[in-house]
Amino acid sequence: VSKASAILHADLDAFYASVEQRDEPRLRGRPVIVGGGVVLAASYEAKAHGVRTAMSERRARELCPSAIVVPPRIRQYADASKTVFEVFRRTSPVVEGLSIDEAFLDVRGMARIAGSPEDIAVGLRRDIREHVGLPITVGVARTKFLAKVASAVAKPDGLLVVPPNAELAFLHPLPIERLWGVGPATATKLHERGIATVGEVAVLAEATLISMLGRAAGRHLHALAHNRDPRRVDGARRRRSIGAQRALGRSSPKSPAALDANLVALVERLAHRLRAARRGCRTITLRLRFADFSRATRSHTLAEATAQTQTILSTSRRLLAAASPTIRRRGLTLLGLALANLDDDRAIQLALPFERDRDDALDTTLDELRDRFGAGAITRAVLLGRDPGLTVPLLPD
Ligand SMILES: [Mg+2]
C-alpha cells in the first residue's frame, strides 16, 4: 500500500438521471426519475424528497408528486459510459472499472507529468464535464476503501482528498453504514449494541466483532475501521481465459431444453464477468464430460472479439448442437464453457461499426441492473423465448 493518497475513486452522480438532464434542458433543476415500474435512477432533486433507487414508481410519486418520470434510454447511457472510461484511461494507465459509472484510478508516480493526485482529480472532473457533460464526484485516499468512502461523502459533484495523516479523523465519526460490506442486517446488529459510528467499531477488539458478526464479517469490519485495505488498483488483470461449469448429475438423460437452459446460464454468467472486466473474447470452448467419464471439447474462434451475450450464446449453441449425437450416445454429466483469446475493450470498440449494435448497449444495462437489483432480478428475454426487452419485476413497496 502506498504511503501517499494516490488512489482516486471516480463515480458519476445519479448517472442515468444526469444523462436525462444533460439531454433535456427542461429537466434541469427538476426532480427526475428514470424508470417504469421501479426507480432505476433519481436526480438529486428527487433524492431530496426521499426517492431512492429500486423503490416502486408509485411510492416515489407519493414522496415526490412533482417528479418527472422518464423511460430509460439504454444506448445513451452505454455511450456516455464508454466516453467516461476513455477519459479515465487518458487520465491514468491503471484503471479498474467497478460498474458502468465508477472506477478506481491509481495515479502514483504521476506527479511530474500530471501534478498531484488532487490536481489530477480536479482535471478529471473538468474533463468529464467538458467531454461528457456530466457531474462526477472523486474521492482521493491511500486505500481503495477510503477513496470510495470519500467519494460517497463528497457527493454530488464534489471532490474530497483524505491525506494520510487525517484518515482516522475522517473515518471514525462516520456512521457505520458507510463501511463497505455493512448491510441492513449487520447495521441492525451493531445498533442493537449501541454502536453507531466507525470509531465505536474501531475501539472493539477483533475477537469481540467476530463474536458479534461471525468470523468473516468481524475480521472485515475490524480491518476497515482501522483503514486496513491492502487491495491494489487492478488495472491489469490480464487473464488468459475465464470459465465455469455445471454438474448435471448422473441420473436420467437430459432433455435438449434442459441442456440449453444450463448453457444459457453459463453464457450469461461468463459474459457478465467478461464485460465487468472490460474484456472481449474470440475463442469459445465447450467442455463436455460424459457418464463414462470420457471428456471432449469443442471450440470455435470468432473473427472479432466480442463481449456480447447473444454472440457468445449463438456460437455456444452451435457447438452444443454439433456434439449432440455424442451426448445422446454417452450421456452428459458435466457442461463447461471457457472464453479465451481475451482482448481488452478498446480493441473491441475499434472493431465495432460506428452505430453500435443494440445488443451491446442492452448487455451493459442488464449488467448494471443486475448489479443493483441482484442476479435474479432481470431475466433476459432469450430465456423466456420472447422479443428482446427488459423484464423488470415489480418490487414490493
Ligand atoms: Mg454513480
Side-chain angles (χ1 to χ4, degrees):
V1 173
S2 163
K3 288 193 179 64
S5 292
I7 294 175
L8 274 51
H9 179 255
D11 190 2
L12 291 165
D13 303 319
F15 176 38
Y16 298 172
S18 296
V19 172
E20 298 306 326
Q21 290 179 320
R22 178 194 69 182
D23 295 349
E24 180 55 65
R26 79 184 170 90
L27 299 179
R28 290 178 200 158
R30 308 275 304 274
V32 175
I33 291 171
V34 178
V38 296
V39 176
L40 299 178
S43 72
Y44 278 84
E45 295 84 357
K47 287 182 183 184
H49 289 80
V51 176
R52 296 287 176 266
T53 300
M55 195 176 259
S56 77
E57 191 185 316
R58 188 156 51 93
R59 176 81 186 119
R61 283 183 188 278
E62 281 167 16
L63 288 166
C64 186
S66 61
I68 302 166
V69 181
V70 299
R73 294 181 307 143
I74 292 164
R75 177 173 294 170
Q76 280 73 12
Y77 311 148
D79 284 346
S81 173
K82 292 269 179 192
T83 316
V84 165
F85 272 82
E86 283 163 18
V87 176
F88 288 166
R89 292 195 194 95
R90 281 204 299 272
T91 303
S92 165
V94 185
V95 175
E96 178 182 343
L98 295 179
S99 75
I100 190 171
D101 74 328
E102 64 180 307
F104 287 115
L105 289 75
D106 189 338
V107 299
R108 281 178 301 174
M110 292 179 63
R112 275 166 173 273
I113 47 166
S116 70
E118 181 168 0
D119 295 337
I120 294 170
V122 168
L124 173 63
R125 279 168 38 72
R126 188 192 52 227
D127 287 351
I128 299 283
R129 188 58 98 168
E130 259 172 35
H131 297 291
V132 203
L134 295 176
I136 191 164
T137 297
V138 180
V140 185
R142 199 174 48 91
T143 61
K144 284 167 112 173
F145 153 67
L146 205 59
K148 192 162 164 60
V149 174
S151 72
V153 169
K155 275 182 171 298
D157 204 11
L159 167 63
L160 181 58
V161 181
V162 183
N165 61 5
E167 288 173 346
L168 298 184
F170 164 71
L171 189 58
H172 284 176
L174 295 175
I176 47 169
E177 286 79 4
R178 292 286 193 194
L179 288 179
W180 168 60
V182 174
T186 305
T188 302
K189 281 185 198 167
L190 292 169
H191 282 296
E192 277 167 2
R193 290 170 171 83
I195 299 161
T197 68
V198 180
E200 287 161 359
V201 173
V203 298
L204 299 176
E206 188 180 62
T208 309
L209 281 166
I210 288 172
S211 72
M212 278 182 202
L213 306 170
R215 187 158 191 84
R219 293 174 76 163
H220 173 74
L221 282 203
H222 187 261
L224 292 187
H226 294 277
N227 190 31
R228 281 201 307 270
D229 176 13
R231 296 171 304 154
R232 301 163 61 97
V233 178
D234 193 353
R237 261 180 299 188
R238 302 284 86 165
R239 298 185 56 168
R240 287 168 183 278
S241 71
I242 59 172
Q245 58 188 32
R246 290 169 83 93
L248 303 175
R250 299 184 56 80
S251 61
S252 70
K254 284 84 195 169
S255 69
L259 287 182
D260 189 64
N262 278 285
L263 186 67
V264 169
L266 286 169
V267 170
E268 287 271 340
R269 189 163 143 209
L270 292 181
H272 186 180
R273 277 173 57 193
L274 201 58
R275 293 189 295 271
R278 306 192 83 79
R279 310 289 297 275
C281 73
R282 282 188 59 214
T283 302
I284 294 159
T285 302
L286 208 58
R287 296 185 192 288
L288 309 168
R289 192 185 69 199
F290 303 102
D292 61 2
F293 295 102
S294 63
R295 291 170 178 273
T297 61
R298 310 248 164 190
S299 66
H300 180 77
T301 297
L302 301 161
E304 289 173 357
T306 185
Q308 285 181 5
T309 298
Q310 201 51 57
T311 308
I312 297 168
L313 182 60
S314 57
T315 305
S316 304
R317 276 181 169 152
R318 279 199 296 278
L319 294 170
L320 188 63
S324 68
T326 320
I327 292 171
R328 270 198 301 278
R329 219 167 41 242
R330 295 200 243 166
L332 194 65
T333 57
L334 186 134
L335 179 64
L337 188 71
L339 307 179
N341 235 326
L342 301 187
D343 259 328
D344 66 28
D345 211 16
R346 262 187 291 197
I348 301 173
Q349 280 183 42
L350 292 175
L352 284 169
F354 175 70
E355 184 77 341
R356 228 189 339 267
D357 192 312
R358 72 183 291 276
D359 279 350
D360 204 39
L362 180 62
D363 284 342
T364 306
T365 302
L366 285 171
D367 290 347
E368 164 78 352
L369 295 174
R370 282 201 193 92
D371 289 344
R372 287 204 178 155
F373 298 109
I378 310 290
T379 305
R380 186 174 286 273
V382 68
L383 290 172
L384 304 172
R386 292 209 299 253
D387 289 340
L390 293 176
T391 306
V392 182
L394 287 173
L395 299 181
D397 277 3

